[in-house]
Amino acid sequence: MVGVAAGGAGGALGPREFQLVLLRRMADHQPGLAEDARIAMGVSLTAMREVNRRWQAMVRSPRARGAVNRYRSVLGPPAAVVRRTVGDLECEAHQWRVPLWPDLRLEVVTGPDGTAWNEWLVRAPDAPGPSLGSADDLAPWSATVDEVARAFAAFGPVRMLDGGAPHRARLSLTLPDGTARVAEFCWGLFQGLRETP
């Protein structure tokens, strides 16, 4: 992790504040890592909670903008917009840099009508992904949903499960030793392994 960009002027939410929103959610899974990152940013716990409150108010506002416009207002223009075909549908993947994780991008995938299908962190196109051959390689915040799914498909079926809350995802997978586990993600970033319920 590296230093973060300056926040928005005049109390507006900017890239720095958005990173606090990510950390606030990830603290539910990895409180120690989130606290270390918050302290490195020089932000108090109270300030992080206030930023999260403002973000939630913006998302839930009756005048809320679409996802792409919301992120554009907070993070600026995307670093890249990539056209993709999913089945018979054309979609666009809008990607923004996130200074806390320089090898990742926040990606918002939108359908033909502009509706956001997905909002999570993905590996930057020019960044090498982790080597994932065992459970020991799965360190918190080391891999994205796609990376874990691809790596562990070699050992058995991988299924996406209901994440239980916004910006959470879970994968049912099999470890190399045949043990079934659930990988938990927040904003698309790996948080930990849990026993299968």
Side-chain angles (χ1 to χ4, degrees):
M1 286 181 279
V2 297
V4 294
L13 296 177
R16 183 172 190 269
E17 287 77 18
F18 179 69
Q19 291 174 123
L20 293 171
V21 170
L22 297 178
L23 289 176
R24 175 67 183 91
R25 288 282 56 98
M26 291 186 195
D28 294 340
H29 298 276
Q30 293 293 333
L33 288 176
E35 182 176 10
D36 289 348
R38 176 186 60 75
I39 290 169
M41 292 172 67
V43 177
S44 72
L45 188 57
T46 301
M48 183 170 78
R49 288 179 179 146
E50 173 60 17
V51 165
N52 190 65
R53 184 196 67 73
R54 290 167 50 207
W55 171 264
Q56 295 300 328
M58 181 172 68
V59 170
R60 294 179 177 145
S61 166
R63 296 168 285 142
R65 312 167 197 192
V68 171
N69 288 334
R70 177 172 61 248
Y71 289 111
R72 189 182 293 270
S73 73
V74 172
L75 302 174
V81 179
V82 181
R83 286 190 148 308
R84 294 187 187 149
T85 302
V86 179
D88 295 334
L89 297 176
E90 291 289 323
C91 63
E92 287 187 333
H94 305 257
Q95 297 183 346
W96 285 267
R97 288 184 172 83
V98 183
L100 270 175
W101 294 280
D103 288 345
L104 301 177
R105 300 290 180 264
L106 173 71
E107 181 175 86
V108 178
V109 178
T110 58
D113 64 354
T115 301
W117 290 349
N118 206 5
E119 305 167 38
W120 62 12
L121 296 168
V122 299
R123 187 71 50 193
D126 56 349
S131 175
L132 302 175
S134 72
D136 292 339
D137 297 328
L138 282 172
W141 297 9
S142 67
T144 65
V145 172
D146 289 343
E147 291 167 341
V148 173
R150 277 194 308 271
F152 285 84
F155 309 116
V158 175
R159 290 183 306 117
M160 182 69 83
L161 305 173
D162 178 13
H167 304 296
R168 291 188 182 180
R170 297 186 309 147
L171 288 178
S172 169
L173 51 81
T174 303
L175 301 180
D177 66 4
T179 306
R181 286 289 181 266
V182 173
E184 296 188 334
F185 300 84
C186 183
W187 285 92
L189 194 57
F190 177 73
Q191 303 295 316
L193 282 177
R194 304 288 179 259
E195 292 189 6
T196 304

